[in-house]
Amino acid sequence: MSGEAVKVAVRVRPFNQREIDRQSKLVIKMDGKMTMIYNPETPNEDPKKFSFDYSYWSHDGFDARGDGTTDPKPGSNYASQRMVFENLGQGVLNNAFEGYNCSLFAYGQTGSGKSYSMIGYGANKGIVPTTCDELFKTMATNDDPNKRYEVMFSMLEIYNEQVRDLLSKDNPKGGLNVRQNPKLGMFYVEGLKKVPVGSYSEIEKRMEQGTQSRTVASTNMNATSSRAHTVVTIIFDQIIKTDNGETKKSSTMNLVDLAGSERADSTGATGDRLKEGANINKSLSALGNVISALADLSMGKKKVMVPYRDSVLTKLLQNALGGNSKTIMIAALSPADINYDETLGTLRYADRAKKIQNKAVINESPLDKLIRELKEENEKLKRAMESGGMVIKQEAGMSSEDLERMRKQMEEEIRAQLMANQAMLEESETTQNWDQKLAAAQKETHSLDKDVSDATRKKNEIYLINLNEDPMLSGVIVHFIKDGETSIGRKDAQPMPDICLNGLSIQKVHAVLTCKKNVVELEPMSGSGPKTKVNGVPLTSKKKLTHKDRLLFGSNHLYVFLNPKNPEKSEDLPDEITWEFAQKEIAQVKGFATATGAGMSKDQLIAQEQVLEILPMVSEVNAISEELNKQKSFDVVLISAAAQENTYGAANNTTVTVKMKNLLNGNTWLWERGKFMNRRYLIQDMYQRFLDGDDLSKVTKEQDPFWEPTEDTLIGSANVFLQSLSYALDFEDKIMFTDYKGQEEGYIVIHVTPCQKDGKALEEDAFVDEPHELLGKPYHFKVTVKNGEVYKQRFSKGIQVKYRVYKDDSFTETKLVKNTLKPEFKHNKVFTFSKITKEHLEFFEGGCITFMVYGTQEDTVPDPKLLKFTTRELRQMDQGSVPTSAAVTRRNTHFALETASDQSHLKTEVLLLQRKYERLAAKERRMQDICKEWDAKPEGEKQYEPFYRAVSAVAHSSGTRLKTRVHLLNQIMKAEKYLQEKRRQSNAEESQGQVQSKNGRVVRSAEGQRKDGSSACVLQ
C-alpha cells in the first residue's frame, strides 16, 4: 500500500485595520502554486520561494456583496471561501463518503486568518460549516432504501494540556483523560460527549453552544483563547444492508483550529528558571517535532521515533499525521512586513508538513463481525479483571508501592476500555437505539434556542454584549437589562445576582444596574469600585451609561453597553467597538500613548502592540496576587533604546518589560515580555489549582512563579557622548542618571580623556582641528568613574557601575562599594583602537557610552507592621506613595525609540566647544607672548625668519584659523619698514585682532581687550 502525501495549502489575508493605519508593506506574492516572501529589511534580495498544492491569494482583488460575501473581481486571482471549500472541503467530504478518515487543520500565527478559513465570519462561511452543510445536502439525495446514515458531532478544546468538552457543562478537575485503545493503538478522549445530529441546523446550534462555552471558560478561567486548540470531530457512518447482513462504513473527520503559532517561539521565556514548567507551548512544540520526525521518515531516514505521546494534541492527531487518514493542512499567512519572521516560520512549517506520507484505508467491516469482536474483547477484559490475570513484569529497583500503583493504573485502563467498547456496542447494535438517541439529542438541541439571544430582542431591549480578544468569541454572551435593578456578582451571593460572573476580582455583590424610563445607571458596590471601569476609568460612584459605553467588571469581563431606545453616543466613537479599541482606552487612562499613523516608526508600533497585549495580562496577574495574597505588584515598564546595554551598531529598540515589586521590602525585578508571559501561565495554573481546592502551602518557593531570588537592580543609566574624542580633547562632568521614567536617581562623575598607551596624559598641544586627521593612527583613551551619589536609602547595601565601550563583548565593571550612598569608585580603564577607521569616528561623533548604575538587593526581613496588611492594601499604599507628578510623567510615555537626553547631548557639545576654545585661547596667548618678545628686542636683534618659524609652529599645532593668520605674517615681513615706523600705532590697534569664541563661532571684538583682561597681538 503506497502512501499519500499530506496536501498543503497556504492563504494570505487582506491587511487588517491596524496594518492599514501603520501603512504596512506587502511582503507576500503568489504565482500559481508558488508563494514568495520578501524580507523588508533587505528589499534588494531575491525572495524566498515555496511551492505548495495550493497557494490562495485572498489579499485583494475582490468585491463585497450586500450580504457581505466576497467575490473575485473580473480578471482577479482572488480565492473566495467557496473556492477554498471546493479545493479542500469537497475533498474531505468525498473521502468521508468513500469511508476514509479525514483531517483538516489550520496553522498560523494569531490574527493570520486561521479561523476565517476554518469557521468564517458572517455570510462568508468557512470550511467547517460548509462541509457540514454539504454533507447533509448530499445525504438528502440518497434514494437507496438499503443505505442509512448516522452522524455524530463533538467539539473539544485543548488548553494548557487539559481537554475540555465544549458540549458539556460539567468538565472534571484537570480536564478529560486521553486514553489509548490497546487493540487499535489509537488515542481517544474518555467521556467526550458525542451528540447525534440529523441536520446542518443542529450542527450549527451545537457549534454556537461550543463557542459560547469557550467564551465563558476563557473569561472565567483567565484563559487566552489564542493559546487553545479547538477540535471539531464529525463521525459519519454509512450502514449498508447486504444479503450477508449489515456493513458499516465509518469515517472520522477531524477539523482542527490550532493555537497561534507565534506563541511557541517569539515570546519564549528566555532565561526563566521555570520555563520548563509551562505546558502552554507544549502542544505546538510537540506538533513541530512530530512533523519533523514524520518528514524525516518520508525522506528515507531510519530509526526515527515519532513523539506522538509528548502532548495531548499530538496523541489525538496521531491518525491525521502519518496514520490512517487523508490529511489537508491550510497555513494562514499575514501579508504585513511587521510579521515577516512569523510568516516565514509558518511557510517553513508548511513546507516540512507536505513531505509527510499517510496510509489511509477504507474503514469498512460487517456490522455483526464488529459487534462480535467487541463482545469477545469485553469478555477477555472482564476475565482479566476478575481473575487478577494482569501480568506485571517487575523491573530492578521497583518497590511494592510501584507495583501496586502500576496494577491500579492497568485496572483503570481496562475499565476505561470496557466502557469505550460498551459505548461502541450500544452505537452499533440496533437501528432503534440510534433513532432514540437522535430524538433525545434533538430535544436537547432545540432547548438550546432558549439560551441563544433573539435578534429581535436586541432591537427593542437594552443589553450588554461581551468583547473578547478572539473576534470569534466577541458578541457571544448577551445580558438583557430589565426595568428596575439588575444585580451583578458571583453565583455564591445570597440572593443570587441577575447576572452571574465568575473569575478574578469579582465581588459577591459587585455592581447594580438601575433602569428607569430607558435610562440606565451603574453603581459599584462596596469595595468593587477599582474593579469596575467605565470607558477605562475606575468607577467611584453611580454613573449614567450612554450607548456604546465600555464596561469592565473584575479583570476579564469586558462588555459594551447598548441602548437601542436611546442610541445617542459620543461622536468620536467608531461604528464597531472592538476588544482592541477598549484595551487602547484602558491604556490611555493609565497614561500610555496609543496614537497611530505615518509618524510612528516600526519600533514604536511594535512596542505599542506589545503594551496593548500585555496590559490586561498585568492587571490579571495583579488580581491573582491580591487573591492569593502574594504581596507582589506588577507594572508595565518601557525601557528606551538609550537606556539598554547594547553594543554600538546593534539594533536598539524600545523594550516592553514588566516590573515585579516585593511590597514588603521594596525589592524589584524586571522581566522580559517572554518571561512574564511564561510566568503568567504558571500563575494562572496556580490560581486554577487554588480554585480546585489544592493546598498551595505545599508549593516550594522555587516552584512558586511569584518568587524570584534577589538580584542586582538597575537604579538608572546615564549617557556620555564622545564628540570630544574626535578632537583628542577630554571630557569631564557630573552626569545625572535617571530611571526608566526619566526621574533623577543620583549622579556619577565621569572623565573621558585621550591618553598614551600606558594611560598617561597627552601633551597639551596634542588635539586636532579636524577628526579625519586621526584616520589610520592608533588611538588610546581612558574612562574614569570617580565617584557618585545615589538618592534612595535602600540602595546603600551596594552600588556598582557597568558600561560597555564600542563593540566590547563584555561589560566593564567598577568595584562594588557597600554601605554608602556616596560611593568612591576610583575606577579607570584604558581602551585602545589599533587603527582609527571611519566607523570609529562615527562612534565618537554619534555614539555614546551608557553607564548603568546597579544597586544590590537583599531579602531583608520586612517591617512587622506591613505583614498585617493584605496585598490589596499594600498595593494601594504603594500607589498612594507615588507623587502626583508621576501620573504626568507616565502620560508623556510614548511607544517611541527614545534617544538619550537632549540636555546631556547639548551639554557635551558645549563642553567640547569650551575645551576647543580653551586650547585656541592658550595658543593665542603663546603667539602674543612671541610678538611681545620680538617687539621688546633692540632693532638690531630682530630677525624675521626665526620669528616667523616660532609663530608658524604654534599656529600649525592649533588649527586652521591660526594657520590663516600665519599667512598674514608674509605681509608683515614685506612691510618691515612700515611696522618699524608704526610700532606704536600697531600696539594701539591690538583690539581689532581680538579673537573670541562664542557658541562655536569665532568673532572679532570691537574692544582691544579680551574679556579676561589680557591684551591681544594684532596681525593685520
Side-chain angles (χ1 to χ4, degrees):
M1 181 176 57
S2 61
E4 180 182 337
V6 170
K7 281 188 177 180
V8 177
V10 296
R11 189 181 191 188
V12 61
R13 61 163 172 77
F15 285 135
N16 59 34
Q17 190 57 50
R18 188 170 64 248
E19 291 161 348
I20 293 170
D21 290 342
R22 67 175 54 155
Q23 298 182 340
S24 296
K25 295 178 181 176
L26 180 66
V27 294
I28 296 289
K29 285 188 178 179
M30 290 179 174
D31 183 9
K33 295 184 176 183
M34 181 81 69
T35 296
M36 294 158 280
I37 183 167
Y38 293 81
N39 188 341
E41 302 295 331
T42 54
N44 296 326
E45 241 181 43
D46 288 338
K48 293 178 174 62
K49 298 180 180 180
F50 300 87
S51 181
F52 301 103
D53 294 287
Y54 301 97
S55 285
Y56 291 122
W57 181 263
S58 300
H59 178 70
D60 57 14
F62 60 90
D63 288 316
R65 294 187 207 162
D67 62 354
T69 53
T70 55
D71 294 314
K73 290 181 178 179
S76 164
N77 60 344
Y78 174 76
S80 64
Q81 291 283 68
R82 188 69 202 178
M83 179 191 290
V84 173
F85 166 74
E86 287 171 357
N87 291 154
L88 305 181
Q90 190 64 52
V92 170
L93 205 56
N94 295 342
N95 290 329
F97 274 95
E98 290 177 27
Y100 291 104
N101 291 334
C102 311
S103 299
L104 191 151
F105 61 99
Y107 180 89
Q109 71 177 112
T110 301
S112 60
K114 297 189 307 299
S115 297
Y116 180 76
S117 291
M118 292 294 284
I119 308 297
Y121 297 133
N124 290 293
K125 294 189 181 298
I127 295 171
V128 174
T130 308
T131 300
C132 296
D133 191 17
E134 293 294 329
L135 173 68
F136 283 99
K137 284 181 179 177
T138 307
M139 286 165 52
T141 62
N142 174 50
D143 54 5
D144 187 347
N146 294 321
K147 183 187 287 188
R148 61 185 175 86
Y149 302 110
E150 295 177 1
V151 182
M152 305 236 283
F153 178 88
S154 67
M155 191 173 180
L156 63 85
E157 180 179 69
I158 303 170
Y159 182 82
N160 204 16
E161 285 299 282
Q162 295 185 4
V163 178
R164 290 187 61 254
D165 187 345
L166 295 176
L167 302 184
S168 174
K169 291 184 178 180
D170 300 316
N171 277 278
K173 175 182 172 182
L176 299 174
N177 291 318
V178 175
R179 306 280 188 191
Q180 186 175 24
N181 185 314
K183 183 177 179 181
L184 302 176
M186 303 311 300
F187 293 93
Y188 65 95
V189 180
E190 181 185 8
L192 180 67
K193 186 173 183 178
K194 298 173 184 175
V195 181
V197 285
S199 67
Y200 169 63
S201 64
E202 291 171 35
I203 285 186
E204 207 170 26
K205 288 173 185 174
R206 289 295 181 176
M207 288 184 69
E208 286 180 10
Q209 179 193 3
T211 302
Q212 189 167 39
S213 179
R214 281 183 68 201
T215 308
V216 172
S218 72
T219 307
N220 290 347
M221 296 172 61
N222 322 303
T224 305
S225 60
S226 60
R227 302 302 291 267
H229 314 285
T230 307
V231 182
V232 170
T233 302
I234 298 166
I235 300 172
F236 175 52
D237 291 336
Q238 302 172 73
I239 293 91
I240 305 160
K241 285 184 180 179
T242 64
D243 294 340
N244 299 320
E246 289 188 337
T247 298
K248 184 177 183 179
K249 191 185 282 187
S250 182
S251 170
T252 300
M253 291 179 274
N254 286 310
L255 307 168
V256 186
D257 191 356
L258 294 172
S261 61
E262 82 287 351
R263 306 299 187 182
D265 40 47
S266 69
T267 61
T270 308
D272 189 0
R273 62 186 177 84
L274 292 178
K275 64 181 176 182
E276 297 302 323
N279 285 323
I280 205 71
N281 294 329
K282 192 173 181 180
S283 290
L284 275 181
S285 300
L287 181 60
N289 295 336
V290 165
I291 286 176
S292 293
L294 290 169
D296 288 342
L297 279 174
S298 66
M299 300 289 285
K301 287 190 179 181
K302 297 180 180 179
K303 296 183 179 179
V304 176
M305 191 191 78
V306 183
Y308 290 116
R309 291 177 173 272
D310 283 1
S311 77
V312 168
L313 177 70
T314 48
K315 285 177 182 177
L316 297 180
L317 290 184
Q318 181 176 350
N319 240 5
L321 297 168
N324 175 23
S325 176
K326 287 181 176 284
T327 300
I328 298 169
M329 170 182 174
I330 181 164
L333 309 178
S334 165
D337 51 354
I338 200 168
N339 294 320
Y340 169 79
D341 292 330
E342 286 86 354
T343 303
L344 178 59
T346 299
L347 286 167
R348 286 175 172 160
Y349 204 94
D351 194 54
R352 197 86 170 137
K354 72 182 184 182
K355 298 170 184 169
I356 297 172
Q357 297 284 325
N358 282 359
K359 296 179 180 179
V361 296
I362 294 174
N363 304 301
E364 186 175 20
S365 60
L367 205 54
D368 55 352
K369 180 186 175 186
L370 181 65
I371 293 169
R372 185 176 67 250
E373 287 176 349
L374 282 170
K375 286 181 176 178
E376 288 173 357
E377 186 182 356
N378 272 4
E379 287 303 316
K380 287 180 185 178
L381 290 170
K382 286 177 183 177
R383 283 197 299 271
M385 286 277 291
E386 291 165 359
S387 65
M390 295 174 293
V391 180
I392 301 175
K393 184 179 178 182
Q394 184 169 0
E395 297 179 2
M398 287 183 67
S399 64
S400 57
E401 289 83 3
D402 293 334
L403 284 170
E404 185 61 28
R405 186 166 57 251
M406 287 185 67
R407 192 183 304 279
K408 286 183 178 179
Q409 187 177 348
M410 289 186 68
E411 284 182 5
E412 192 179 332
E413 293 286 348
I414 290 173
R415 283 196 186 95
Q417 190 57 47
L418 275 168
M419 290 174 64
N421 286 353
Q422 192 62 38
M424 290 177 69
L425 276 170
E426 290 174 4
E427 290 170 10
S428 304
E429 280 187 313
T430 64
T431 304
Q432 183 183 7
N433 192 24
W434 166 258
D435 292 337
Q436 290 174 348
K437 286 196 294 185
L438 178 60
Q442 286 175 331
K443 184 178 180 181
E444 182 184 319
T445 303
H446 293 317
S447 71
L448 293 175
D449 288 340
K450 297 175 185 177
D451 300 327
V452 178
S453 300
D454 191 350
T456 56
R457 289 187 68 187
K458 292 181 182 178
K459 295 177 182 177
N460 303 309
E461 296 184 35
I462 303 169
Y463 62 98
L464 305 179
I465 192 163
N466 79 301
L467 293 178
N468 193 284
E469 178 187 11
D470 185 346
M472 291 292 298
L473 305 185
S474 284
V476 172
I477 300 173
V478 178
H479 296 295
F480 289 96
I481 309 301
K482 63 184 180 182
D483 282 338
E485 290 190 350
T486 301
S487 57
I488 300 171
R490 297 204 308 257
K491 63 182 178 182
D492 58 345
Q494 292 297 331
M496 185 181 290
D498 299 296
I499 298 175
C500 290
L501 305 177
N502 293 321
L504 285 167
S505 303
I506 297 295
Q507 310 292 316
K508 278 190 176 182
V509 183
H510 196 91
V512 173
L513 288 161
T514 306
C515 180
K516 291 181 181 178
K517 297 181 180 179
N518 300 326
V519 175
V520 179
E521 292 181 320
L522 176 63
E523 182 179 9
M525 292 294 98
S526 176
S528 73
K531 301 301 180 185
T532 305
K533 294 180 180 177
V534 178
N535 304 333
V537 180
L539 188 64
T540 54
S541 59
K542 185 181 288 189
K543 180 177 175 63
K544 178 184 172 183
L545 299 181
T546 58
H547 187 57
K548 291 194 175 182
D549 273 349
R550 286 72 59 206
L551 313 181
L552 177 64
F553 301 107
S555 297
N556 306 299
H557 295 270
L558 188 57
Y559 290 89
V560 180
F561 171 78
L562 295 173
N563 188 348
K565 296 184 177 181
N566 191 2
E568 292 183 10
K569 63 180 180 67
S570 300
E571 293 180 2
D572 56 347
L573 284 179
D575 293 335
E576 182 184 7
I577 304 295
T578 62
W579 163 272
E580 187 180 66
F581 176 85
Q583 292 302 331
K584 277 187 177 182
E585 186 172 57
I586 293 169
Q588 285 174 334
V589 172
K590 289 186 176 182
F592 291 95
T594 59
T596 58
M600 296 182 71
S601 68
K602 181 180 177 181
D603 171 52
Q604 291 172 327
L605 292 165
I606 291 173
Q608 174 177 308
E609 206 164 83
Q610 291 179 351
V611 167
L612 291 176
E613 174 191 37
I614 218 167
L615 265 177
M617 299 180 188
V618 169
S619 298
E620 172 195 329
V621 170
N622 274 322
I624 296 176
S625 178
E626 289 183 4
E627 195 111 346
L628 302 182
N629 201 31
K630 286 295 184 177
Q631 294 146 343
K632 299 291 193 303
S633 179
F634 297 83
D635 284 298
V636 176
V637 169
L638 297 180
I639 305 296
S640 69
Q644 293 178 44
E645 307 167 345
N646 290 328
T647 57
Y648 176 72
N652 284 8
N653 295 322
T654 302
T655 301
V656 179
T657 63
V658 173
K659 181 179 76 170
M660 179 176 77
K661 182 176 183 179
N662 186 326
L663 295 170
L664 296 177
N665 60 19
N667 285 349
T668 60
W669 295 262
L670 276 183
W671 288 350
E672 293 178 356
R673 173 172 162 266
K675 179 174 179 177
F676 168 73
M677 293 180 80
N678 182 64
R679 287 296 179 94
R680 178 221 176 191
Y681 294 114
L682 291 168
I683 287 168
Q684 282 181 325
D685 186 55
M686 171 179 268
Y687 182 63
Q688 192 59 47
R689 283 185 284 145
F690 166 74
L691 294 179
D692 291 340
D694 288 7
D695 184 3
L696 298 185
S697 64
K698 295 179 181 178
V699 177
T700 64
K701 68 177 183 180
E702 287 78 14
Q703 291 301 313
D704 186 347
F706 284 97
W707 181 82
E708 197 81 321
T710 56
E711 59 187 34
D712 291 349
T713 186
L714 179 65
I715 305 172
S717 62
N719 294 315
V720 171
F721 295 90
L722 307 172
Q723 293 102 320
S724 59
L725 295 181
S726 301
Y727 301 92
L729 296 170
D730 66 327
F731 171 91
E732 182 175 3
D733 197 17
K734 182 169 78 173
I735 307 292
M736 308 304 296
F737 59 86
T738 59
D739 66 3
Y740 60 89
K741 292 181 181 177
Q743 296 174 346
E744 291 183 1
E745 295 287 343
Y747 69 83
I748 47 176
V749 178
I750 304 294
H751 187 199
V752 180
T753 179
C755 63
Q756 299 177 29
K757 188 175 183 180
D758 58 3
K760 292 181 180 178
L762 296 176
E763 295 178 1
E764 191 177 343
D765 299 342
F767 86 106
V768 296
D769 187 66
E770 296 296 337
H772 64 79
E773 295 176 35
L774 299 174
L775 286 171
K777 298 175 183 177
Y779 195 92
H780 314 281
F781 62 96
K782 181 164 61 175
V783 176
T784 302
V785 184
K786 293 185 174 181
N787 51 48
E789 182 177 354
V790 176
Y791 298 151
K792 290 181 179 173
Q793 180 64 38
R794 74 184 190 91
F795 296 121
S796 63
K797 300 177 183 71
I799 300 168
Q800 186 179 34
V801 177
K802 301 179 184 179
Y803 63 95
R804 178 157 45 194
V805 173
Y806 193 50
K807 296 184 178 180
D808 285 357
D809 294 329
S810 58
F811 285 95
T812 300
E813 301 178 359
T814 68
K815 64 182 179 182
L816 178 67
V817 184
K818 298 182 178 180
N819 303 319
T820 181
L821 289 175
K822 294 184 177 181
E824 292 287 338
F825 297 110
K826 298 177 182 177
H827 162 90
N828 61 73
K829 182 178 179 180
V830 176
F831 295 87
T832 297
F833 295 151
S834 58
K835 186 185 290 186
I836 290 289
T837 65
K838 286 185 178 179
E839 189 175 9
H840 290 130
L841 293 182
E842 288 171 1
F843 170 59
F844 289 159
E845 189 62 32
C848 64
I849 300 175
T850 300
F851 291 87
M852 322 292 291
V853 183
Y854 284 87
T856 300
Q857 295 188 128
E858 295 178 359
D859 203 3
T860 54
V861 178
D863 184 344
K865 294 178 182 177
L866 293 177
L867 294 172
K868 299 176 183 178
F869 296 102
T870 65
T871 300
R872 181 173 299 173
E873 291 167 337
L874 288 170
R875 289 191 66 226
Q876 290 171 349
M877 290 163 59
D878 186 57
Q879 291 165 357
S881 67
V882 178
T884 54
S885 61
V888 179
T889 304
R890 171 56 67 84
R891 278 181 168 75
N892 292 329
T893 303
H894 290 265
F895 308 115
L897 178 64
E898 298 179 44
T899 57
S901 166
D902 288 341
Q903 286 186 344
S904 176
H905 207 150
L906 290 171
K907 192 174 185 180
T908 304
E909 290 185 356
V910 170
L911 286 170
L912 169 61
L913 292 171
Q914 186 177 343
R915 291 280 189 274
K916 291 173 73 175
Y917 165 69
E918 289 171 356
R919 298 274 182 171
L920 290 169
K923 301 301 179 184
E924 184 180 355
R925 284 194 296 272
R926 176 62 184 143
M927 290 178 67
Q928 290 172 0
D929 291 341
I930 294 171
C931 290
K932 288 177 182 178
E933 289 171 7
W934 179 75
D935 189 40
K937 289 181 181 181
E939 292 298 328
E941 295 180 13
K942 289 182 179 178
Q943 299 180 24
Y944 295 104
E945 290 295 335
F947 168 68
Y948 174 77
R949 285 197 299 271
V951 174
S952 180
V954 174
H956 278 280
S957 70
S958 59
T960 56
R961 296 185 182 93
L962 293 179
K963 290 175 189 176
T964 303
R965 293 188 178 188
V966 172
H967 294 307
L968 298 178
L969 286 176
N970 291 321
Q971 298 179 24
I972 298 173
M973 296 177 70
K974 291 178 181 178
E976 179 184 354
K977 291 181 181 179
Y978 177 78
L979 286 172
Q980 287 175 346
E981 294 172 359
K982 300 291 185 180
R983 192 175 300 117
R984 290 180 184 177
Q985 290 90 330
S986 67
N987 288 335
E989 292 171 359
E990 255 178 319
S991 60
Q992 297 177 23
Q994 169 64 44
V995 179
Q996 183 176 3
S997 175
K998 182 179 182 181
N999 291 333
R1001 293 174 296 168
V1002 176
V1003 297
R1004 292 186 180 275
S1005 173
E1007 295 85 7
Q1009 199 73 14
R1010 290 174 55 90
K1011 288 188 178 179
D1012 59 4
S1014 62
S1015 61
C1017 172
V1018 180
L1019 303 176
Q1020 191 170 15

